[in-house]
Amino acid sequence: MSRSSDPRTYDLDALRDQVLSEHGGTVNDSIPQLGAADPGLCGIALVLPDGTVHSSAQADVPFSVQSAVKPFLFALALLDTDGAACDRIGIEPTGEAFDAIKLESGTGRPPNPMVNAGALLTAALVDGGDVDGRNERILRGLSAFAGRSLEVDEEIARAEHLLGDRNHALAHLMRSEGTLQVSADDAVQVYARACAVLVDAETLAVMGATLACNGVNPVTGERVVPAGIARDVVSVMATCGVYDGSGRWMQSVGIPAKSSVSGAIVLSAPGRLGAAVVSPPLDAQGTSVRGRLVSDRLSADLGLHAFGSTPD
Ligand code: GLN
């Protein structure tokens, strides 16, 4: 199959067809809405620094962003606290699952912003004063990353809030350590709503591209966060973005990324492109099986590995 090593002319539909023959993995069913996802969904999008959007079939199918929101919550928390969020959260990889009931020993801080404990805290650190204010601020901030007005799936937000027992446990644990300043329920509610924001592969790729372009949205031209914040966020995606699979991911794919239970992966290759893939069946670490195959292929064909040099 011939594919261009130029992202503008790369045959994303051929890649999509190829990975659709892979049937491994399990669709997450932590809430009924996620369990009802189409296991055959597969969308891929690339966004270049000049604002070009290049996508496959199904790159416009909406899904809830879930944990792929975490890099952007971290960015907004850094922005709204003038960087102080960095002192409130660790940035070390955990080698554990995304919802492990564990804080950093000695400090009681969440281990990093890419696991649930960290994202509960970053969502609580954005400006807003109360739940409604923070919800509004987060939706506005995420919309700037996306370059369009995003919406929340209210049913998913409610289900995540009601059924997120481990998130409630983590929030209470952080309260008991004095690391979470808002009430445990408020923290879960805001984080749950952020996870329920609807995106599609194209939109998520624009968000990833904004991080890859020093914090400037390449489609709208808006500076969303300072370059230093984009750099900090992408660095933590590289070390912690795929949970206990982060080491293997950086070794094989080599592109800073964030996985999520909806089967989305957002990727940021600094200076090169932003990308997103969605396909719901997940592997044991909660990474989309087809999403990983697509990322592997794009990395090799487009020469995107952070520590590699030439395309093969
Ligand atoms: N909303 C999910 C949760 O908090 C997100 C987890 C994920 O995507 N890995 O459990």
Side-chain angles (χ1 to χ4, degrees), residues 28 30-31 34 65-68 70 98-99 114 116 160 164 166-167 191-192 195-196 243 258-263 285-286:
N28 177 282
S30 57
I31 57 168
L34 285 175
V65 64
Q66 300 296 335
S67 283
K70 288 169 176 168
F98 67 94
D99 56 355
M114 302 297 144
N116 284 17
E160 296 263 355
R166 295 184 75 82
N167 290 332
Y191 167 65
C195 288
Y243 310 124
K258 182 73 210 76
S259 56
S260 88
V261 291
S262 49
Q285 274 109 25

Side-chain angles (χ1 to χ4, degrees), residues 218-263:
V219 175
T220 63
E222 183 188 350
R223 170 161 296 287
V224 182
V225 289
I229 288 185
R231 190 203 61 184
D232 287 350
V233 173
V234 175
S235 306
V236 179
M237 288 165 77
T239 51
C240 308
V242 189
Y243 310 124
D244 44 337
S246 297
R248 174 71 62 197
W249 179 274
M250 270 318 276
Q251 178 260 333
S252 58
V253 178
I255 308 171
K258 182 73 210 76
S259 56
S260 88
V261 291
S262 49

Side-chain angles (χ1 to χ4, degrees), residues 103-115:
L103 300 177
E104 202 176 63
S105 65
T107 67
R109 304 184 308 180
N112 69 63
M114 302 297 144
V115 293

Side-chain angles (χ1 to χ4, degrees), residues 19-20 22-23 39-42 277 279 281 288-294:
V19 300
L20 276 172
E22 165 63 52
H23 293 289
L41 167 66
C42 186
V277 196
S279 169
S288 167
V289 172
R290 293 191 195 107
R292 170 186 280 280
L293 292 174
V294 166

